[in-house]
Amino acid sequence: MESNNLYHHFLKYLLFGLGIIMVIMSILSWFFPELFWINGEKMEQNIVTTLVFGVIGIICFPIFIAIKDKFVIVKLGCQNVIIKNGENERKINWMEVESLSLIQFVYPPLYKLKVEGDNKIYWFNTENQFINAGGFTRDTSEMVDLIKKKKRELGI
């Protein structure tokens, strides 16, 4: 069972895309304010609006750079866990997994994985099979059955 590739890329590049959109909106709101409508009225040129869009966009870029390497594709097997980060592939035994837990309020379901002797925390997603109620996420994919089984067996 392997992480969903589409959702992996979506989650990994979400902040980068948001940053680009916000910077473009900032530029457009300064030079072409008539393109934006607020409460049925055309927006006027406003430095505050331009700065807010610009600052939010610029803040997204360093956050993206800081977390982009945390997103990996994970292939779970009965004996091993394979962690793929770009071209790098790391094969570990289930006994080396220090912690594995679901991150709430993020959907599709996103898990964090910590490997013994490694200071990095990896984030990976499962399939798009989940129940979301009030922000809390419950994963219903096949991958979660193996995760629960291994966590129970190994006391993770």
Side-chain angles (χ1 to χ4, degrees):
M1 288 174 267
E2 191 172 271
S3 300
N4 186 308
N5 216 5
L6 175 68
Y7 291 117
H8 164 74
H9 287 95
F10 173 75
L11 291 170
K12 185 172 184 172
Y13 294 106
L14 179 66
L15 282 174
F16 182 71
L18 182 64
I20 288 174
I21 289 169
M22 295 302 279
V23 167
I24 289 171
M25 285 181 64
S26 171
I27 293 168
L28 288 176
S29 73
W30 183 255
F31 292 109
F32 305 104
E34 65 277 357
L35 294 176
F36 297 90
W37 290 73
I38 299 174
N39 294 330
E41 297 179 13
K42 288 184 180 181
M43 189 174 96
E44 295 179 14
Q45 190 177 37
N46 186 345
I47 190 70
V48 174
T49 305
T50 302
L51 286 176
V52 167
F53 283 137
V55 168
I56 291 172
I58 291 170
I59 288 173
C60 287
F61 292 122
I63 295 172
F64 163 73
I65 291 169
I67 67 171
K68 71 179 173 64
D69 290 332
K70 289 181 178 270
F71 290 98
V72 296
I73 293 179
V74 172
K75 186 174 183 179
L76 300 177
C78 291
Q79 300 297 319
N80 297 315
V81 176
I82 299 172
I83 301 170
K84 296 178 187 176
N85 192 359
E87 296 297 317
N88 300 331
E89 190 172 296
R90 181 176 173 193
K91 187 175 184 178
I92 61 169
N93 192 314
W94 270 102
M95 300 296 282
E96 297 177 56
V97 175
E98 186 176 315
S99 68
L100 178 61
S101 61
L102 176 68
I103 300 173
Q104 288 295 335
F105 306 107
V106 178
Y107 34 92
L110 189 66
Y111 286 84
K112 67 179 177 182
L113 170 72
K114 178 136 174 64
V115 179
E116 287 180 0
D118 196 354
N119 291 334
K120 277 183 92 173
I121 293 177
Y122 301 104
W123 294 341
F124 70 95
N125 61 297
T126 58
E127 290 296 323
N128 187 22
Q129 299 172 353
F130 62 94
I131 298 170
N132 181 24
F136 291 96
T137 306
R138 184 172 191 276
D139 192 358
T140 59
S141 66
E142 291 179 23
M143 221 172 170
V144 78
D145 295 333
L146 180 60
I147 291 171
K148 286 180 181 178
K149 178 184 173 191
K150 288 298 184 180
K151 284 179 74 171
R152 188 173 47 249
E153 286 176 358
L154 302 172
I156 299 173

